[in-house]
Amino acid sequence: MSISRRRFLGWMGAAGAGLAAGGRAHAAALPPSGGHPDALGVLFDVTRCIGCRKCEEACNRVNELPPPERPFQDLGVLQKTRRTDARTYTVVNRYEGIPGAKGPLYRKIQCNHCLEPACASACFVRAFTKNPDGAVTYDESVCVGCRYCMIACPFEIPTYEYDKALTPRVMKCTFCHPRLVQGLLPGCVEACPSEALTFGRRRDLLRIARERMAQFPGRYLDHIYGEFEMGGTAWLTISGVPFAAIGMREDLGTTPAPELTKGALGVVPVVAAMWPVLLTGIYAINRRRDRIAREEREAAVAAAVARAEAEAKKKLAEALAKAEKDKKAAIEREVKKALEEAARARGEAPAGPTPGTPGATKPA
């Protein structure tokens, strides 16, 4: 990739209002500036998660994803930090040695389904849609594979099917949108045995989070992660330790992604208009490169065949010469043997070499 994530986000920040407007998210009491008022969401309670990976297993099953290399019952995978990928929509990571924590803590990672998604604001073909139920869904039929969504997402969630050359897709958590349409719970929420995940209307989840904080004042920080970050997210998190200690960014500010990208995305109409020309140029370059590579391969193969044929002819000539020499020597041996046998039959001493044979001399 020719541009780093940090540089692109810095460019977007310069084009918009900048991250400095919000500082740390909980320092500014600004309401989310967009989204749907009745949107659904999930509240994740770090203090209740036991790291069982049941959510991962359920996500894999309901989304019909490929089976993992190691079974979900194998908790040894928690020994290293993981992230989502094209085959995994959600992962659980373990964090140990955190000051103030009595033991290891666990965090579930998936798409946060922002109220105003960065992926959608960066996509000039509108492959991403923020639905009224809160889910951010993806339409692979219009995606051109530019992967701007991957660069724009501050949570580094969208991934790409690099192993599929012809039909690659951007992959991420769907919030189990097909299940929501049917009135069902997201798979991970339904499978959680410790009630670390609470599903409901986002506004109700905020109330539930504040009630827990009031009921257990020493257990939680006075901050609901996702209430204001990047304009707010459908997935909310409460914790008893600083969010940075469990791998969560605290430098995002409260400005929604579209506000940060509106300056940079002013060039999108031009990019969209030039896209066919760009693709045609790339196609022509690739065709020329493939043709040159094919010609080079054919020349290399022809040279190799010529060398092999020359070597084979040389070896054949050597073999024929050796065979002729061996044949002549065998004939001479047989003639000598026959003469010796004839001499013995006559009671004569074996004759010397016959004229014309090696070692023979002419009579004086």
Side-chain angles (χ1 to χ4, degrees):
M1 189 175 293
S2 61
I3 182 171
S4 67
R5 181 187 299 272
R6 180 176 297 177
R7 181 178 298 178
F8 188 86
L9 290 177
W11 175 46
M12 292 194 301
L19 291 176
R24 286 182 178 261
H26 59 275
L30 299 175
S33 58
H36 300 278
D38 294 326
L40 300 169
V42 174
L43 173 63
F44 173 58
D45 191 333
V46 176
T47 68
R48 295 186 178 188
C49 183
I50 59 176
C52 64
R53 300 185 66 203
K54 294 292 185 183
C55 56
E56 293 186 34
E57 183 176 14
C59 177
N60 178 273
R61 183 181 66 256
V62 301
N63 289 289
E64 300 180 348
L65 298 173
E69 295 181 359
R70 299 167 65 175
F72 292 106
Q73 293 72 27
D74 183 358
L75 300 185
V77 299
L78 299 177
Q79 294 177 357
K80 65 178 182 179
T81 301
R82 299 175 297 152
R83 61 156 295 176
T84 59
D85 56 38
R87 300 162 61 96
T88 310
Y89 289 172
T90 186
V91 297
V92 174
N93 281 335
R94 180 169 61 197
Y95 303 87
E96 299 183 279
I98 301 176
K102 297 181 180 179
L105 296 177
Y106 303 91
R107 178 170 72 96
K108 181 182 182 298
I109 304 170
Q110 74 295 305
C111 175
N112 289 311
H113 297 274
C114 303
L115 302 189
E116 297 186 49
C119 56
S121 66
C123 182
F124 60 86
V125 295
R126 298 186 179 181
F128 289 92
T129 301
K130 178 67 176 181
N131 295 276
D133 59 12
V136 177
T137 53
Y138 164 74
D139 183 358
E140 63 185 84
S141 67
V142 299
C143 179
V144 296
C146 68
R147 285 160 283 176
Y148 288 163
C149 55
M150 296 171 59
I151 300 173
C153 178
F155 303 106
E156 299 184 347
I157 292 299
T159 56
Y160 199 64
E161 291 182 315
Y162 290 102
D163 58 333
K164 294 186 177 181
L166 299 179
T167 58
R169 297 170 296 174
V170 174
M171 306 294 280
K172 74 172 192 67
C173 161
T174 65
F175 207 169
C176 288
H177 184 254
R179 290 173 61 87
L180 299 185
V181 173
Q182 299 176 38
L184 302 174
L185 291 172
C188 57
V189 176
E190 188 176 64
C192 181
S194 62
E195 297 184 353
L197 301 173
T198 304
F199 176 78
R201 301 290 178 190
R202 185 178 183 274
R203 59 173 179 267
D204 295 332
L205 297 177
L206 291 170
R207 176 180 53 79
I208 292 172
R210 294 191 182 95
E211 289 176 354
R212 288 187 190 176
M213 292 176 181
Q215 186 177 2
F216 305 101
R219 179 182 297 180
Y220 301 99
L221 298 179
D222 186 19
H223 176 51
I224 305 173
Y225 193 98
E227 182 177 11
F228 300 122
E229 275 79 5
M230 295 298 293
T233 60
W235 279 74
L236 307 168
T237 304
I238 53 178
S239 169
V241 300
F243 294 99
I246 52 175
M248 302 178 73
R249 293 185 60 178
E250 294 186 331
D251 61 341
L252 296 177
T254 61
T255 307
E259 290 297 317
L260 298 177
T261 58
K262 63 183 181 182
L265 292 178
V267 299
V268 165
V270 178
V271 173
M274 295 182 62
W275 194 254
V277 178
L278 177 62
L279 291 179
T280 301
I282 293 174
Y283 177 73
I285 292 172
N286 288 337
R287 285 290 301 273
R288 181 176 182 275
R289 181 187 61 193
D290 293 342
R291 177 178 56 79
I292 294 174
R294 184 175 62 255
E295 291 174 352
E296 290 177 348
R297 286 196 301 270
E298 291 174 353
V301 170
V305 169
R307 287 194 301 269
E309 290 179 349
E311 186 69 20
K313 289 179 180 179
K314 179 181 178 181
K315 290 182 178 180
L316 178 61
E318 292 175 350
L320 290 174
K322 184 177 182 301
E324 184 65 24
K325 182 178 179 181
D326 292 343
K327 178 181 177 181
K328 184 176 181 181
I331 292 173
E332 290 174 352
R333 286 195 300 271
E334 291 300 321
V335 169
K336 181 179 179 181
K337 181 179 177 182
L339 291 174
E340 289 175 350
E341 290 178 353
R344 282 195 296 270
R346 292 193 302 269
E348 300 176 357
T354 58
T357 60
T361 58
K362 294 183 179 179

